[in-house]
Amino acid sequence: MGQIRRLLILAILIYLFALSSGRELKIKYKHLDHHSPVYNHTFAKIMVEYASAAYMSDLTELFTWTCSRCCDLTKGFEIIELIVDVEHCLQGYVGVAKNLNAIVIAFRGTQEHSIQNWVEDLFWKQLDLNYPGMPDAMVHHGFYSAYHNTTLRPGVINAVNRAKDYYGELDIMVTGHSMGGAIAAFCGLDLTVNYEMKNVVVMTFGQPRIGNAAFASYYSQLVPNTIRVTNDHDIVPHLPPYYSYFAEKTYHHFPREVWLYNLGVGSLVYPVEKVCDGTGEDPTCSRSVGGTSISDHLHYYGIDLMGKTWRSCGIVMNSLEDYGRTDDKGNIFLSRKLATPILKMKTEMDGGSNSA
């Protein structure tokens, strides 16, 4: 009887799994499509590794792509520009992934030691900025400014233009986790609207809401190849709050969401990757559960999305004087000349450290 019962439970689980994830099973292993937001599990794993690396505080290891998170699916990546906005405690990088034939842009999210205060603050955030050129579209001033009014934007644009001049027309893939996801969304929109760049792909993880319904509508039309991945009971995608009875004035996610959760009974648990509807606020996806977990916010696809050693906005940097500069506010820019192969640069640095 015990074996029959287990088989029956297994059959029920397989049936439920098929119902809940039928769409994503059909498209899971398709090649990336630049004209519609097609979810691809392997591509998501690559992007989450890039988002994770953005949290590294050792700039030498990050810039030379030798850090503990700079391997596996992102092996061989070459950073062109690493930007550390010390003034606003922001960090991002731009580089070329030759296996993807793409420029990758990644932004760091909120540090884990301050995330509780940041989450509490998001409960009270109001729509407080009219997005330029989009009637009725309003956004979160803080997230907008973190990209548009800091050193991140000019650093990113400069690096993207240099990469295109050197490598030709490449796809552009923008990613980030948490607040870094919000910045990534504004970056993807900026590249598309203000710089008329083609084939811009945005994939974020644990991203908060950043604008109202009008903004979400504009965004989904202008940057259609965007996916927001949410994890189980992650609290941050529920913030700032969405009120269905006040839909036009409240914060509203743009599509398309992919919700990660576990389905099962007892020891029979299966991971589900559910591709949600095109509204941005699918009630059967992450909105169907309470956003109660910070732990779910810090781990996606088994990858850590937090800084291991951060105590403040300080950084660690050695042997990069030839590649770096700072402005009068202490913000740091590390740039690689595209004529200098990354392997040659690493060899020079290793030789310099050995002779010291």
Side-chain angles (χ1 to χ4, degrees):
M1 283 295 290
Q3 173 131 6
I4 293 174
R5 183 173 177 274
R6 283 194 295 273
L7 288 173
L8 181 60
I9 291 174
L10 179 60
I12 293 171
L13 285 173
I14 292 172
Y15 175 71
L16 290 173
F17 180 80
L19 285 179
S20 66
S21 57
R23 285 180 294 170
E24 64 268 31
L25 287 174
K26 293 177 183 177
I27 65 177
K28 197 169 185 180
Y29 299 105
K30 283 186 180 179
H31 293 297
L32 188 63
D33 183 339
H34 296 288
H35 303 288
S36 60
V38 174
Y39 176 68
N40 179 291
H41 173 83
T42 301
F43 179 67
K45 289 289 296 288
I46 295 172
M47 288 295 103
V48 80
E49 288 188 10
Y50 281 120
S52 177
Y55 281 95
M56 299 302 295
S57 58
D58 189 320
L59 302 190
T60 302
E61 291 185 353
L62 181 58
F63 188 61
T64 58
W65 209 249
T66 56
C67 67
S68 59
R69 303 184 185 188
C70 306
C71 54
D72 195 23
L73 297 175
T74 65
K75 187 176 181 180
F77 180 69
E78 297 183 357
I79 283 191
I80 294 171
E81 188 88 10
L82 174 55
I83 310 132
V84 183
D85 192 305
V86 176
E87 182 184 7
H88 302 96
C89 197
L90 302 170
Q91 182 167 301
Y93 63 81
V94 182
V96 174
K98 293 181 181 177
N99 62 328
L100 295 175
N101 196 35
I103 298 167
V104 174
I105 306 167
F107 299 98
R108 189 188 68 207
T110 306
Q111 299 172 52
E112 75 277 10
H113 75 268
S114 64
I115 210 164
Q116 186 65 53
N117 292 336
W118 182 69
V119 163
E120 291 171 1
D121 189 46
L122 276 179
F123 273 104
W124 310 104
K125 287 296 181 185
Q126 301 296 312
L127 292 156
D128 50 8
L129 182 70
N130 295 314
Y131 194 90
M134 296 183 182
D136 302 320
M138 296 191 72
V139 295
H140 182 290
H141 180 272
F143 294 143
Y144 176 92
S145 296
Y147 172 73
H148 282 274
N149 299 330
T150 68
T151 59
L152 289 182
R153 187 190 191 204
V156 166
I157 299 303
N158 176 265
V160 170
N161 285 330
R162 287 198 295 125
K164 282 182 169 287
D165 288 343
Y166 189 81
Y167 291 102
E169 283 300 314
L170 299 176
D171 298 335
I172 301 174
M173 300 173 177
V174 194
T175 191
H177 164 254
S178 195
M179 181 177 68
I183 297 172
F186 280 120
C187 176
L189 183 61
D190 181 41
L191 293 173
T192 302
V193 173
N194 297 315
Y195 295 92
E196 299 181 345
M197 296 190 182
K198 309 299 182 185
N199 289 342
V200 175
V201 178
V202 177
M203 178 171 280
T204 68
F205 305 91
Q207 178 201 315
R209 297 183 178 96
I210 63 174
N212 64 357
F215 174 78
S217 178
Y218 284 117
Y219 186 96
S220 64
Q221 294 173 48
L222 293 166
V223 196
N225 204 344
T226 296
I227 286 179
R228 295 180 301 100
V229 183
T230 59
N231 184 36
D232 212 359
H233 289 72
D234 183 347
I235 188 172
V236 172
H238 292 260
L239 300 172
Y242 168 79
Y243 301 106
S244 58
Y245 52 84
F246 201 41
E248 294 305 312
K249 300 296 182 181
T250 191
Y251 279 94
H252 194 292
H253 271 307
F254 52 75
R256 181 172 303 266
E257 178 187 4
V258 172
W259 183 38
L260 312 178
Y261 67 100
N262 291 322
L263 178 69
V265 177
S267 61
L268 297 173
V269 176
Y270 298 88
V272 179
E273 301 173 357
K274 181 176 181 180
V275 179
C276 308
D277 68 22
T279 66
E281 295 289 348
D282 189 336
T284 68
C285 284
S286 63
R287 280 188 53 213
S288 67
V289 299
T292 57
S293 176
I294 289 179
S295 176
D296 286 346
H297 182 62
L298 300 177
H299 306 278
Y300 274 66
Y301 300 96
I303 302 295
D304 289 339
L305 289 159
M306 53 186 171
K308 292 291 188 183
T309 59
W310 284 72
R311 296 290 183 273
S312 65
C313 288
I315 49 87
V316 179
M317 182 172 67
N318 298 299
S319 307
L320 290 175
E321 292 81 2
D322 292 341
Y323 306 98
R325 65 180 177 85
T326 58
D327 63 16
D328 58 358
K329 295 180 179 177
N331 301 315
I332 300 169
F333 305 83
L334 298 176
S335 300
R336 182 173 68 87
K337 293 180 181 178
L338 292 176
T340 305
I342 194 74
L343 292 177
K344 181 175 183 292
M345 186 182 75
K346 288 179 189 174
T347 303
E348 290 173 350
M349 290 180 57
D350 291 341
S353 62
N354 290 336
S355 62

